Amino acid sequence: MDQSVDESVSADRRDARAHDTVEAAVRAQLAKALGGVRGMIEAAVPTIGFTGTYLVAKDVKTAVIAGVAAAVVLLAVRVAQRSNPQFVLNSLVGIAIAAFFALRSGKAEDAFLPGIIYNAVYSAGMLASIAVRWPLVGFIIGSVTGDPTAWRSDPGVVRLCSRLTWLLMAPCLLRVVVQYPIWLMSGDQSGPLGIAKIAMGWPLQVAALALMVALLARGNTPLAARPEAEDA
């Protein structure tokens, strides 16, 4: 076994030992996935730059440049600090796709269409995972224990993961329900869409996370790691 594989296995073992309950494992993995406060702010800044610039300049190209420039500055800061640039890169890819849509049509509101589509697809995927009793959050547990499907053997864990997946899906579904009708309206809707996207970005995500934490705080479900994780 090469060194990289050894390090990966060791990391899995450390994670399994660090969390002895399902609730603790899910809390830790959700915090990692969302990137904390900084990660959520980095996701919002390019949108703020795009929307604010367009409302002032009324020019799609200028607004796109402002949004992309904001993401590039955030990336440069991450690189200079030698910290994980994952969330900035995600933001940069997002604003690049939004820019493509807006520049192609010449309509600023079309910059928000990819986000609406993404949230709709994500909501549908999570809803399907709940319907077939393979809730998406369950795979967070699997990533800690090292066995991606063992959690399904415990009905209590499946129910918990279904509730958590509903809460994780709620912000995405609400964004679609609110933003898509605005996008369909006639006239330039970039201002209302920008406000809605910012207001329903990290504030809504934090609210959903708070509800998830409250749900997790009430439980104490033992986390059964795979046997290999207990080896020396």
Side-chain angles (χ1 to χ4, degrees), residues 101-170:
F101 274 70
L103 291 173
R104 185 183 64 173
S105 68
K107 298 178 179 179
E109 61 263 32
D110 284 352
F112 300 93
L113 183 58
I116 295 171
I117 294 172
Y118 170 82
N119 279 282
V121 171
Y122 200 50
S123 297
M126 285 190 283
L127 183 60
S129 77
I130 294 169
V132 299
R133 294 186 59 77
W134 284 85
L136 186 65
V137 172
F139 293 99
I140 293 177
I141 297 169
S143 71
V144 175
T145 64
D147 188 330
T149 61
W151 55 272
R152 288 202 78 244
S153 62
D154 188 332
V157 174
V158 174
R159 286 193 296 271
L160 171 65
C161 291
S162 293
R163 295 189 191 105
L164 291 169
T165 303
W166 276 111
L167 290 173
L168 191 63
M169 181 183 72

Side-chain angles (χ1 to χ4, degrees), residues 6 21 89 92-93 95 116 128 135 139 162 176 187 203 208 231:
D6 285 338
T21 67
L89 289 173
L92 186 58
V93 170
I95 195 66
I116 295 171
F139 293 99
S162 293
V176 176
D231 294 339

Side-chain angles (χ1 to χ4, degrees), residues 19 34 45 49 56 69-70 95 104 112 114 137 139 157 164 171 177 196 209 220 228:
H19 311 296
L34 292 173
V45 166
V56 173
I95 195 66
R104 185 183 64 173
F112 300 93
V137 172
F139 293 99
V157 174
L164 291 169
V177 169
L209 182 59
N220 191 34
E228 292 90 338

Side-chain angles (χ1 to χ4, degrees), residues 23-229:
E23 290 78 14
V26 174
R27 282 197 300 269
Q29 293 299 94
L30 284 174
K32 187 186 298 183
L34 292 173
V37 174
R38 182 174 180 178
M40 289 185 283
I41 290 174
E42 287 171 339
V45 166
T47 298
I48 295 172
F50 173 87
T51 305
T53 302
Y54 182 77
L55 291 175
V56 173
K58 296 297 182 182
D59 182 74
V60 173
K61 290 183 180 179
T62 303
V64 165
I65 291 171
V68 172
V72 170
V73 169
L74 292 172
L75 179 60
V77 171
R78 282 282 192 177
V79 171
Q81 294 177 340
R82 296 184 179 180
S83 59
N84 186 356
Q86 174 190 345
F87 299 98
V88 180
L89 289 173
N90 291 346
S91 178
L92 186 58
V93 170
I95 195 66
I97 295 172
F100 171 78
F101 274 70
L103 291 173
R104 185 183 64 173
S105 68
K107 298 178 179 179
E109 61 263 32
D110 284 352
F112 300 93
L113 183 58
I116 295 171
I117 294 172
Y118 170 82
N119 279 282
V121 171
Y122 200 50
S123 297
M126 285 190 283
L127 183 60
S129 77
I130 294 169
V132 299
R133 294 186 59 77
W134 284 85
L136 186 65
V137 172
F139 293 99
I140 293 177
I141 297 169
S143 71
V144 175
T145 64
D147 188 330
T149 61
W151 55 272
R152 288 202 78 244
S153 62
D154 188 332
V157 174
V158 174
R159 286 193 296 271
L160 171 65
C161 291
S162 293
R163 295 189 191 105
L164 291 169
T165 303
W166 276 111
L167 290 173
L168 191 63
M169 181 183 72
C172 299
L173 187 59
L174 284 172
R175 289 171 192 139
V176 176
V177 169
V178 172
Q179 294 174 27
Y180 185 58
I182 297 175
W183 182 82
L184 288 175
M185 293 177 183
S186 59
D188 181 9
Q189 299 299 325
S190 57
L193 280 169
I195 293 169
K197 183 166 184 175
I198 294 166
M200 303 184 79
W202 65 265
L204 194 57
Q205 202 68 56
V206 168
L209 182 59
L211 290 174
M212 295 174 80
V213 169
L215 178 61
L216 291 167
R218 298 204 307 265
N220 191 34
T221 310
L223 177 64
R226 64 180 178 179
E228 292 90 338

